[in-house]
Amino acid sequence: MAPPPAAATATRWRAAAALLAFSLLAARSAAIYCDEDDCYDLLGVSQSANSSEIKRAYYRLSLKHHPDKNPDPESKKLFVKIANAYEILKDEATREQYDYAIAHPEEVFYNAARYYQAYYGHKTDPRAVLVGLLLILSGFQYFNQCTRYNQAVAMVKKTPAYKNRLRALELERSGGVTNKKKNQKQMDKKVEEELSKELELEIKGTEKPSLWDLVGVRFILLPYTFVKLLVWYGCWFWRYKVKQAPYSWEDAAYLTQRALSVPIDAWSNIDELTKEDLIKRRLWNKSNLDSYFMEMRKEHKRRR
């Protein structure tokens, strides 16, 4: 029994819509390569043509449409399309991607991703990307360090301790004579700017910005740092493991600081007598370290 006319009409409309959608998908998938044209048609070859046939077709068309041979503006536009089609079809990888886009027009986003990866991904030198990334990171890092340091300095300059140090330095420079002129405030401001340059502010946790601390500089110096570290470990192993030599004061101080898990800046602020006492205890040995901690706990309980 034949379907009703309305049903047959709806079926034809659905088939036509599906065909139209398929055509649009095919056009969109292939358009990213040669715009609205077909790359094979531009060169006048079939999809089964080999690389030699594609090359001969391109050379034949380039002789006809090259701007040096043909001054016609339309011919120049056509030559650009021909050259683009040849760039796509002469490479096996990009030609395979183009053939896949023709055969699978429904995978529009996948085909577009493969195209942009092939044409733009390899054109960007990874070394240039790495250098650019390091420059950007180093710039942000240096800007952040400068901002933090300037804010910390501005806060320190408002403290009474800093102002007292400035007054003491001013008296030292003037021989104990203070300025009694009418424009003392203006003079004090100039003197403060001059004297502040002589005072070295040591702000814990906010060091003065240094180019050597930037991630880009450290990355460049990474091979040197790695070799230096290997040499240091080699000398350490030879001196203290092979020759069984006694630790020098600097190396013993390093072992003590590491055993106590004390930051380097905190260790440098410890007085020399306390450092010497800690080094003599040989705290890098676990038994000595445990005894020291037990002694500290007893002393803490006794003081409570």
Side-chain angles (χ1 to χ4, degrees), residues 3 17-18 38 63 76 108 116-117 134 156 193 215 235 242 264 295:
D38 183 281
L63 290 174
K76 181 180 179 181
V108 179
Y116 289 114
Q117 181 181 6
L134 289 175
V156 168
E193 291 178 359
V215 63
C235 294
V242 178
I264 296 178
E295 182 182 333

Side-chain angles (χ1 to χ4, degrees), residues 65-67 70-82:
H65 297 286
H66 195 279
N70 192 337
D72 185 14
E74 294 299 324
S75 184
K76 181 180 179 181
K77 294 179 182 179
L78 181 58
F79 175 76
V80 173
K81 293 182 178 182
I82 293 170

Side-chain angles (χ1 to χ4, degrees), residues 79-282:
F79 175 76
V80 173
K81 293 182 178 182
I82 293 170
N84 179 58
Y86 177 67
E87 289 295 323
I88 291 170
L89 298 181
K90 76 174 183 177
D91 184 80
E92 292 296 331
T94 53
R95 182 181 178 181
E96 181 183 352
Q97 292 179 6
Y98 179 64
D99 291 341
Y100 186 90
I102 295 175
H104 301 83
E106 71 281 359
E107 301 180 17
V108 179
F109 298 107
Y110 175 71
N111 293 328
R114 294 183 70 190
Y115 169 79
Y116 289 114
Q117 181 181 6
Y119 278 86
Y120 296 100
H122 74 279
K123 293 181 181 179
T124 304
D125 192 346
R127 293 171 296 182
V129 175
L130 179 61
V131 171
L133 181 62
L134 289 175
L135 287 175
I136 293 173
L137 291 177
S138 299
F140 277 114
Q141 183 183 4
Y142 191 77
F143 176 76
N144 183 51
Q145 288 179 354
C146 290
T147 303
R148 290 179 56 193
Y149 180 76
N150 292 333
Q151 290 176 350
V153 168
M155 292 179 63
V156 168
K157 287 184 176 181
K158 294 178 181 179
T159 60
Y162 175 78
K163 294 179 179 179
N164 290 335
R165 288 181 62 186
L166 271 183
R167 292 193 189 97
L169 187 59
E170 182 182 4
L171 289 174
E172 181 183 346
R173 294 288 183 271
S174 61
V177 180
T178 56
N179 195 346
K180 301 293 184 181
K181 293 183 179 180
K182 293 182 181 179
N183 58 346
Q184 183 178 356
K185 289 185 179 180
Q186 287 78 3
M187 292 296 294
D188 286 346
K189 208 167 191 180
K190 294 179 181 179
V191 170
E192 181 178 351
E193 291 178 359
E194 294 176 358
L195 296 179
S196 61
K197 297 177 182 178
E198 301 182 28
L199 290 177
E200 294 184 2
L201 295 177
E202 296 181 0
I203 306 173
K204 294 182 180 180
T206 310
E207 293 77 16
K208 194 173 183 179
S210 174
L211 294 176
W212 298 105
D213 295 331
L214 298 180
V215 63
V217 177
R218 289 191 174 186
F219 182 81
I220 294 173
L221 297 178
L222 188 60
Y224 167 77
T225 305
F226 182 72
V227 172
K228 186 178 178 181
L229 188 62
L230 284 179
V231 172
W232 183 85
Y233 272 113
C235 294
W236 183 283
F237 182 81
W238 173 257
R239 184 182 302 169
Y240 300 125
K241 298 298 182 182
V242 178
K243 298 181 67 176
Q244 298 292 322
Y247 290 115
S248 64
W249 195 92
E250 292 81 5
D251 293 337
Y254 164 74
L255 291 173
T256 305
Q257 176 254 328
R258 191 177 66 171
L260 293 173
S261 301
V262 177
I264 296 178
D265 54 348
W267 175 260
S268 61
N269 292 328
I270 300 176
D271 61 274
E272 295 301 322
L273 291 177
T274 304
K275 285 183 182 179
E276 188 173 353
D277 176 64
L278 292 173
I279 292 172
K280 286 181 178 178
R281 291 174 178 266
R282 301 178 65 86

